[in-house]
Amino acid sequence: MKSTPTPASSAPKPLHKSLFLQILIAVVAGVLIGHFWPGLGSALRPLGDGFIQLIKMIIAPLVFLVIVTGIAAVGDVKAVGRVGVKALIYFTAATSFALAFGLLVGNLVQPGAGLNIDPNSLNQDALAAKTSTAPPKDVGQFLLGIIPSSVVGAFANNSLLQVLCFAIFFGSAVVVIGKERCAPVITLMETVLEIFFKIMAWVMKVAPVGAFGAMAFIIGQYGLDSLGTYAVLIAACYGAAVVFIALLFVVAWSVARVPLWQFMKYTREEFLLALGTASTESVMPRIMTKLANAGCSRSTTGLVIPTGYSFNLDGAAIYLSISLLFLAQAFGHQLDLGQQLVALGVLMLTSKGMAGVPGSAFLALSATAGALGIFPVAGVALLLGADRLMDSMRVVVNLLGNCVATFVVAKWEGQFDREAMLRAFRGEPGPSAGAVSEAEAVPARQ
């Protein structure tokens, strides 16, 4: 795909044009509004929701176009299958480690010890309201849910796994039929993809407004007072997240020689926006683009990132395992090794497909509590006040974990260009695409 070249320049951008600074100011302003005028902050929720809706408007078709054009560029159906298998192997290993690490931290810190909570005093109606929109699924239902019963329905419902499934079939068919015969279709798709990235650039101009509204609502609705109530639990989760991120730095460097600190600096706008909106979906299109420009092939990026949003939620896994022990300890139960291993297996299953599902963390914990039978399922309501305070930890670890997964899988497949990555980190234009700017990102041709 042809891209509009962006000249490299050593001259810094004016501060008022820095998306990072704009979002940072918006987040701080949102915190202040939510804290000092909570009623006003709660009323600003439509600003954040509106921005996320704009992003969701383009996610499904963008994922489809990126995957199809990426597979067509690779021209090897078997390679696509290998990428998928390696990604799932990595996801399983990373999520299992995150869950086990969370259990280790929960055993060491004992965040719920001594609380002696009476489950009858909890608000069960609030928990039901959180989880009634998404009933739990067993493994068979989840796997069947990946296959779309209607292609149009998959796009209409923004079901990324179903869109991913159809895109793999479509792209593989293009390869089998032959790129020469399908050249008009591929050319059209690449042109449409460029149009979608132009739309994304326009949407990103209102990102600070969305971050401001989302942060004002979160603070206005839940306040900062809850920090004291759940201090030990919050400290345990955030401390575990810091250690896990340090391990991701080691993995990224040892496997793919990726300096993760430079990558986070390169993607600072995306991470800050994810923090401000408490949503990784809000940055999916841009993070895919930046990974492609940082040396990962378009096909690998297109397969790993959308799949990782459902199968590689490392931050959520840490939160779930620590919270499970917190609840058990709060009700006076100490789980033995066998019970914790059972909990680990149940959480592995119930945590899949959590992205974008309202109350998904409570569903996973409720299912695990029901399977263990140690404390009443209604006791999960104890976490209602702390859940939103964990969003920052979850979104950063989830997003960074999927970025590292993309680098690792791309390296394993020989579809990683480290020189392109270093050029992108320096802000230099690559041989086939302009450097990614803060206003617009155009995917590199792989």
Side-chain angles (χ1 to χ4, degrees):
M1 183 178 66
K2 293 181 180 179
S3 59
T4 305
T6 303
S9 173
S10 58
K13 268 193 174 181
L15 284 178
H16 69 278
K17 290 187 177 181
S18 168
L19 182 62
F20 176 80
L21 183 61
Q22 291 172 6
I23 296 175
L24 180 61
I25 292 173
V27 168
V28 173
V31 171
L32 295 176
I33 293 292
H35 180 64
F36 291 106
W37 298 280
L40 176 60
S42 298
L44 293 175
R45 179 175 185 174
L47 295 178
D49 289 350
F51 172 73
I52 293 177
Q53 286 295 103
L54 287 172
I55 291 292
K56 286 184 175 181
M57 174 181 70
I58 63 173
I59 282 181
L62 188 145
V63 167
F64 173 77
L65 292 168
V66 166
I67 292 174
V68 172
T69 55
I71 292 175
V74 172
D76 186 352
V77 176
K78 292 182 179 179
V80 174
R82 287 198 308 270
V83 170
V85 170
K86 290 178 180 179
L88 289 176
I89 291 173
Y90 179 90
F91 293 160
T92 302
T95 305
S96 300
F97 179 82
L99 287 168
F101 180 64
L103 289 176
L104 175 64
V105 172
N107 281 295
L108 292 175
V109 178
Q110 299 279 314
L115 291 182
N116 300 317
I117 300 296
D118 179 8
N120 296 321
S121 65
L122 300 172
N123 186 351
Q124 299 184 36
D125 293 336
L127 178 63
K130 274 279 187 179
T131 59
S132 61
T133 56
K137 296 180 179 180
D138 59 34
V139 178
Q141 287 177 311
F142 174 74
L143 293 176
L144 286 175
I146 297 176
I147 304 172
S149 57
S150 165
V151 173
V152 175
F155 283 90
N157 297 325
N158 237 9
S159 178
L160 292 186
L161 285 180
Q162 293 185 355
V163 171
L164 178 68
C165 178
F166 176 65
I168 292 173
F169 276 105
F170 196 102
S172 299
V174 168
V175 173
V176 172
I177 293 173
K179 287 195 290 184
E180 293 76 14
R181 290 184 61 189
C182 295
V185 176
I186 298 173
T187 301
L188 174 62
M189 285 189 166
E190 289 186 333
T191 303
V192 174
L193 181 60
E194 193 163 355
I195 291 172
F196 270 96
F197 273 94
K198 174 60 71 174
I199 295 173
M200 185 185 73
W202 292 341
V203 172
M204 289 305 298
K205 291 184 183 297
V206 298
V209 178
F212 169 72
M215 187 57 67
F217 166 73
I218 291 172
I219 301 301
Q221 185 74 15
Y222 300 95
L224 297 174
D225 298 335
S226 300
L227 290 171
T229 307
Y230 300 96
V232 179
L233 175 62
I234 293 170
C237 288
Y238 276 85
V242 170
V243 176
F244 191 86
I245 288 173
L247 294 175
L248 288 177
F249 271 70
V250 174
V251 171
W253 180 256
S254 60
V255 176
R257 304 290 289 178
V258 174
L260 210 54
W261 177 251
Q262 291 185 39
F263 173 75
M264 294 184 70
K265 182 180 178 182
Y266 168 64
T267 54
R268 61 188 180 276
E269 295 91 355
E270 287 72 31
F271 276 91
L272 184 58
L273 181 58
L275 280 172
T277 59
S279 169
T280 52
E281 280 190 340
S282 64
V283 298
M284 179 188 283
R286 277 179 60 100
I287 208 71
M288 290 172 65
T289 302
K290 285 200 168 181
L291 282 166
N293 283 353
C296 298
S297 73
R298 189 194 299 175
S299 59
T300 300
T301 303
L303 285 169
V304 174
I305 290 295
T307 310
Y309 268 51
S310 285
F311 287 91
N312 190 43
L313 302 173
D314 298 331
I318 292 171
Y319 167 68
L320 287 175
S321 52
I322 294 178
S323 296
L324 180 70
L325 289 185
F326 168 79
L327 291 171
Q329 294 158 7
F331 292 112
H333 299 288
Q334 291 293 333
L335 303 185
D336 58 33
L337 179 61
Q339 290 171 318
Q340 291 192 34
L341 290 176
V342 171
L344 190 68
V346 175
L347 285 173
M348 273 294 294
L349 297 175
T350 57
S351 62
K352 300 306 180 188
M354 284 177 55
V357 179
S360 53
F362 297 101
L363 287 170
L365 286 170
S366 298
T368 308
L372 293 174
I374 300 298
F375 56 86
V377 174
V380 177
L382 186 63
L383 292 170
L384 288 171
D387 186 65
R388 291 306 293 261
L389 300 173
M390 303 296 183
D391 280 338
S392 298
M393 180 275 289
R394 286 192 296 240
V395 298
V396 169
V397 178
N398 287 347
L399 186 59
L400 189 60
N402 281 312
C403 292
V404 171
T406 306
F407 281 118
V408 169
V409 174
K411 177 66 175 179
W412 284 348
E413 271 298 294
Q415 297 182 21
F416 174 56
D417 184 346
R418 192 169 188 275
E419 290 302 316
M421 176 195 72
L422 295 176
R423 286 193 299 269
F425 289 176
R426 292 193 297 265
E428 299 175 3
S432 59
V436 176
S437 69
E438 291 181 30
E440 180 177 3
V442 180
R445 187 186 184 109
Q446 301 294 335

